[in-house]
Amino acid sequence: MIELDEAAYSYNSDDLLAGMTLQLAPGSFHFLTGPSGAGKTTFLKLCYMELMPTRGAVRVFGTDVRAMSRDAVALNRRRIGIVHQDCQFLDHLSVAENVALPLAVSGRDPSSEAGNIDELMAWVGLDGRRGARPPELSGGERQRAALARAVVLSPDVILADEPTGNIDWDMAQRLLRLLVELNRMGKTVLVATHDLNLIRAAKAQVAARVLRIRDRRLQSAGADL
Amino acid sequence: MIGRVAGLADLLKGDGSADRVVPPSGFTAHLTLFTAGAMAFLTVFALALSLAAGQLADRWESELARTATVRISAPEAQMATQTAAVLEVLRTTPGIAGARVLDAAEQAALLEPWFGPELPVDSLPIPRLVEVTETGAGYDGDGLRLRLAAEAPGAVLDDHTRWRRPLVRAADRMRLVGYLAIGLIAASTAAMITLAARAALAANARVIEVLRLVGAQDVYIARAFVRRFTRRALSGAAAGTVAGAVMMLLLPDMGGDSGFLAGLGFSGWGWAWLPAIPLLAAGVAFWATRAAALRVLGGLT
Ligand SMILES: Nc1ncnc2c1ncn2[C@@H]1O[C@H](COP(=O)(O)OP(=O)(O)OP(=O)(O)O)[C@@H](O)[C@H]1O
Ligand SMILES: [Mg+2]
């Protein structure tokens, strides 16, 4: 699905990430951890083609990202559901419209899929908040709305950046269950988090592989987690 | 081409869901409306100028219609001999189809507008007029003048084309100036709309980023802006055109044939051009916004 081959990235002269090699196999579940500022978000941006590797290669669905046109990037992003660390919404639209946004931009008529949207809102527990504006949502509600939007096109891959960043433990577990459920449906899932409790809780439910960014490199975390 | 026109028509149809993804913007909307309106208003007058100048040029061109006059001023005693001499010269000049001496009544009719009906034509030393008709090929004016000077010293060839031709040229030039003005107005409209569109794109940078992240292609994002600007330009220009047309109707009527200004304003088919102004504005807005949007979006990483 997504493949990194000795990929490196630097914002300025020094490498932030180097020698990243990884294959996200279909249906796999990965955690990405590391201290704040290690480059987890940057790593995800490489995966969803927001950033191009400064060295090495990143291949998404078999195509080198550097060979992709802007249109190709847009089309491939529809196969990747992204939950951003800072959940980006369009504040002038309702939550339901934001969730339906990927449908609208891919040329499908959101009104003809209203049933699906309703179902999805119920699945993330937001059926009562459909008409609210994103700024009116709580942190946990925003995270769940972001997850609903990420899966509305039923993507092959889900990338989640600190999806439990600013929510309590109960809500975090609820979100984790949703991600595990998606993985059981066959989606490839990659979650960046520094919440080790979340990772432990996940390992009880799913065969997840844990990666850690340390000293600019990607390593497999040991069984100590 | 038909596809493009259909695309444009499609674009102007009701509020698509795509429109809502970009929040409504304040000042760029007003700027576009105002610019399109003002420019359309000016275009009405530039168009009127072009059409009127064109008609004038055509009319004068056809009135140049191959007539000239020979004016004979001579003492009473020599008048008959000089007239005969002139007629003989004209008869033997190649390129002249006919010559006819105007009679007293005709001369009086010509002079009446200047001196009134009471003018005693018979008792005044009024020059005699000979109307000359050219053949299609025309005659050599300078040669004829020389021969007349030799045969009939009191005869002067009055060639209308000599003073009308520059007027026709001026009218032609005026028509060109009108077209040029329309072109300049269209270009400034494009420039203003480009600026407004760029401002709108910059103001919506975050929206654009979110749209890209959920998989929107550049054309989709561009369309949201293009649709808006095209619609605003169309309605602004429609209002400006109507205002301009009303102004034209309120211009004082200069009467049928009062020289240069006759026919400034629209007549007949001239009015049919007016609906083209908003369409032109919409077309300009469409291309300007589309080019600006695709360029700005293409420059993003
Ligand atoms: N656009 C940018 N330009 C320059 N430096 C940047 C940019 N984005 C991030 N960085 C730097 O790169 C480093 C890694 O940032 P990144 O957001 O990838 O870390 P992270 O692992 O996601 O951290 P956190 O756990 O706090 O989210 C940080 O030191 C950050 O300051
Ligand atoms: Mg981060």
Side-chain angles (χ1 to χ4, degrees), chain B residues 23-40:
Chain B
S25 49
F27 93 97
T28 56
H30 299 132
L31 181 63
T32 313
L33 269 173
F34 172 76
T35 307
M39 294 302 185

Side-chain angles (χ1 to χ4, degrees), chain B residues 126-230:
Chain B
I126 290 183
R128 182 153 299 174
L129 297 178
V130 179
E131 189 186 84
V132 180
T133 316
E134 287 178 54
T135 64
Y139 59 91
D140 166 21
D142 292 334
L144 179 57
R145 247 174 225 109
L146 284 176
R147 288 187 61 202
L148 284 173
E151 304 289 331
V156 176
L157 175 66
D158 198 352
D159 185 355
H160 303 165
T161 58
R162 297 228 305 174
W163 60 270
R164 277 218 161 151
R165 197 145 279 153
L167 285 184
V168 171
R169 258 208 306 279
D172 268 335
R173 203 63 56 77
M174 197 89 78
R175 163 162 50 183
L176 221 69
V177 168
Y179 290 150
L180 193 65
I182 293 174
L184 286 174
I185 290 171
S188 345
T189 309
M192 292 287 270
I193 289 179
T194 300
L195 281 177
R198 279 175 171 268
L201 286 159
N204 287 296
R206 224 188 68 81
V207 170
I208 291 171
E209 192 188 339
V210 172
L211 291 174
R212 284 288 305 174
L213 284 176
V214 299
Q217 290 176 303
D218 288 347
V219 278
Y220 177 87
I221 302 171
R223 202 179 306 140
F225 289 92
V226 166
R227 199 194 281 258
R228 257 182 216 197
F229 279 89
T230 305

Side-chain angles (χ1 to χ4, degrees), chain A residues 21-191:
Chain A
T21 297
L22 175 70
Q23 293 189 1
L24 289 187
S28 61
F29 199 120
H30 284 84
F31 279 104
L32 178 65
T33 183
S36 181
K40 300 184 292 294
T41 299
T42 305
F43 182 91
L44 290 183
K45 284 182 174 171
L46 286 172
C47 292
Y48 64 78
M49 304 158 280
E50 174 78 356
L51 298 173
M52 298 287 144
T54 43
R55 273 179 287 115
V58 174
R59 278 181 290 276
V60 175
F61 303 124
T63 311
D64 191 312
V65 294
R66 263 190 294 247
M68 284 184 200
S69 65
R70 282 177 62 78
D71 278 349
V73 167
L75 294 176
N76 281 318
R77 274 199 192 142
R78 294 178 192 171
R79 299 176 59 191
I80 303 177
I82 309 160
V83 181
H84 300 93
Q85 189 164 9
D86 47 2
C87 314
Q88 310 214 25
F89 295 110
L90 297 182
D91 291 346
H92 63 287
L93 299 181
S94 70
V95 173
E97 284 171 319
N98 267 286
V99 167
L101 197 57
L103 290 171
V105 306
S106 57
R108 283 152 68 175
D109 181 8
S111 60
S112 72
E113 316 212 15
N116 289 345
I117 302 291
D118 286 350
E119 217 169 286
L120 201 51
M121 297 293 281
W123 180 66
V124 296
L126 284 179
D127 31 358
R129 306 292 278 145
R130 242 173 278 155
R133 306 277 140 177
E136 298 162 8
L137 297 185
S138 74
E141 287 172 330
R142 288 171 68 83
Q143 296 284 10
R144 283 179 283 149
L147 182 62
R149 184 181 66 184
V151 300
V152 70
L153 286 179
S154 139
D156 302 318
V157 182
I158 313 241
L159 304 176
D161 195 355
E162 304 282 3
T164 58
N166 45 13
I167 57 181
D168 66 32
W169 179 238
D170 278 349
M171 188 57 76
Q173 280 184 303
R174 196 165 153 192
L175 228 115
L176 177 65
R177 273 199 297 279
L178 296 177
L179 287 166
V180 169
E181 202 179 318
L182 287 166
N183 181 245
R184 295 218 171 103
M185 289 160 62
K187 315 282 184 202
T188 309
V189 179
L190 171 60
V191 180

